[in-house]
Amino acid sequence: MADPQQAERDYFSNEPPPKDLQANVTLAREFIQRHGDAGRRLVLVTSGGTTVPLETQTVRCIDNFSAGTRGATSAEFFLRQGYAVVFLHRQFSLLPYSRHYSHNTRSFLDYMREEDGRVVVDEQHQADMLHVLRQYTNVKREGRLLILSFVTITEYLWDLREVAQLMRPLGPRAMFYLAAAVSDFFVPRDRMVEHKIQSNDEFSQAADGAHGTGRPPAARTEGRKLVIDLEPVPKFLKQLVDGWAPDGIIVSFKLETDPSILVKKARYALNKYSHHLVIGNLLSTRKWEVVFVSRLEGEKWIRVPEHRRTKSFSGVPSLVGSADASARQDQSEPSQS
Ligand code: PAZ
């Protein structure tokens, strides 16, 4: 089996950092230091899906499913518990607080009307919006939410590594809550074609020798077929647990579609990486049930009662991966229909 440290060195020496990495690191360093000095608990919440670009000048990519609902909702709950939150999310996926009014079947403009030349919120939404706005304003005033974004798997991993290393001195006051849907496969930079992959042979780029490697590009046309030959992304959870933040509290998520393997795979991840908690969920039921798998408590299912499931408004789950989520939701979630 490949040495994880060597795999890390290879990955980060081959895959270039995102353009905004230094800017993100500067913001994160100040944020972590400020809250660390104040004795506050910090959580890095990752959210949304990573993309795998097929071309350097990317027209096409492979995406991982996730709207960012779990991450954005969970971030709100951490903030309510007094945490400072670094919210590392897929660009344009759901954000804490604004999620209540975005990515909906209705536009945020539908909550408002014009009155005497001014914009006002409709009466029926006043209470809910005020509730959300107050939470958001408090968090903003206290500077407890730092929002960073990624698009590709490589951007995600660079940001994760840098932020985790900055959080390392906080020890167990630092939590990592890894709800992002991260690709297991990718196109290495030295096997990526520069330009848009052509469907017409006449315009195709050289089918072999990508970047002088002698190996064919990982995504290419052969005849009229698109052939995609991805490589595995190194398992960075191992590096996070052992190297980047060895004293941090680490919570990973496991998404499956086959119910018969969910718990097995969650247990496997827990044993393999020796972190604190794996939260398993199935694609089809993730909005109302999750399973917590930990060494201390074994396997524990948390479900939103059936009569409450239909209550959540579109795009917002009833369950965010917290033991008393449904109870707390009573007090905290706006009740839109
Ligand atoms: O963002 P969302 O609420 O639509 O979905 C959340 C989720 C299913 C992506 C998350 O709960 C999760 O399981 N993340 C880890 C996915 C993975 O196994 O890589």
Side-chain angles (χ1 to χ4, degrees), residues 117-132:
R118 294 169 62 84
V119 176
V120 290
V121 172
D122 283 340
E123 210 46 53
Q124 81 224 66
H125 302 299
Q126 285 284 345
D128 291 343
M129 205 178 268
L130 184 63
H131 182 76
V132 175

Side-chain angles (χ1 to χ4, degrees), residues 88-198:
L88 177 59
H89 78 295
R90 163 73 176 277
Q91 187 185 39
F92 307 134
S93 65
L94 289 171
L95 289 172
Y97 306 113
S98 71
R99 74 179 171 93
H100 297 276
Y101 302 101
S102 65
H103 298 59
N104 241 311
T105 45
R106 57 201 301 190
S107 157
F108 74 95
L109 294 170
D110 291 331
Y111 295 86
M112 301 162 190
R113 64 176 193 282
E114 186 185 334
E115 209 174 86
D116 301 330
R118 294 169 62 84
V119 176
V120 290
V121 172
D122 283 340
E123 210 46 53
Q124 81 224 66
H125 302 299
Q126 285 284 345
D128 291 343
M129 205 178 268
L130 184 63
H131 182 76
V132 175
L133 183 66
R134 279 190 181 148
Q135 294 179 63
Y136 175 65
T137 309
N138 282 343
V139 162
K140 224 166 67 167
R141 198 188 49 246
E142 293 166 1
R144 280 196 292 120
L145 175 61
L146 175 65
I147 296 179
L148 306 176
S149 69
F150 61 82
V151 176
T152 69
I153 172 72
T154 299
E155 290 170 0
Y156 169 81
L157 289 173
W158 271 100
D159 284 332
L160 175 66
R161 182 170 81 152
E162 295 299 317
V163 175
Q165 288 173 344
L166 290 170
M167 286 169 68
R168 183 182 171 140
L170 300 181
R173 270 197 294 136
M175 186 190 287
F176 298 85
Y177 185 86
L178 309 172
V182 181
S183 176
D184 289 327
F185 307 101
F186 81 120
V187 174
R189 183 48 62 117
D190 60 7
R191 295 193 60 209
M192 197 182 285
V193 289
E194 170 74 17
H195 295 290
K196 182 184 165 196
I197 299 165
Q198 296 296 322

Side-chain angles (χ1 to χ4, degrees), residues 23-97:
N24 284 350
V25 167
T26 304
L27 290 170
R29 183 178 289 118
E30 186 282 325
F31 184 86
I32 291 163
Q33 189 145 12
R34 178 159 45 89
H35 291 293
D37 290 351
R40 207 165 259 135
R41 289 175 301 174
L42 251 105
V43 60
L44 170 66
V45 175
T46 70
S47 184
T50 60
T51 69
V52 173
L54 300 185
E55 303 117 338
T56 310
Q57 295 193 40
T58 309
V59 174
R60 300 191 182 94
C61 63
I62 298 173
D63 211 343
N64 253 58
F65 157 86
S66 169
T69 319
R70 174 92 64 215
T73 312
S74 301
E76 286 179 23
F77 281 89
F78 280 118
L79 288 161
R80 199 168 309 142
Q81 294 299 313
Y83 280 80
V85 175
V86 180
F87 187 68
L88 177 59
H89 78 295
R90 163 73 176 277
Q91 187 185 39
F92 307 134
S93 65
L94 289 171
L95 289 172
Y97 306 113

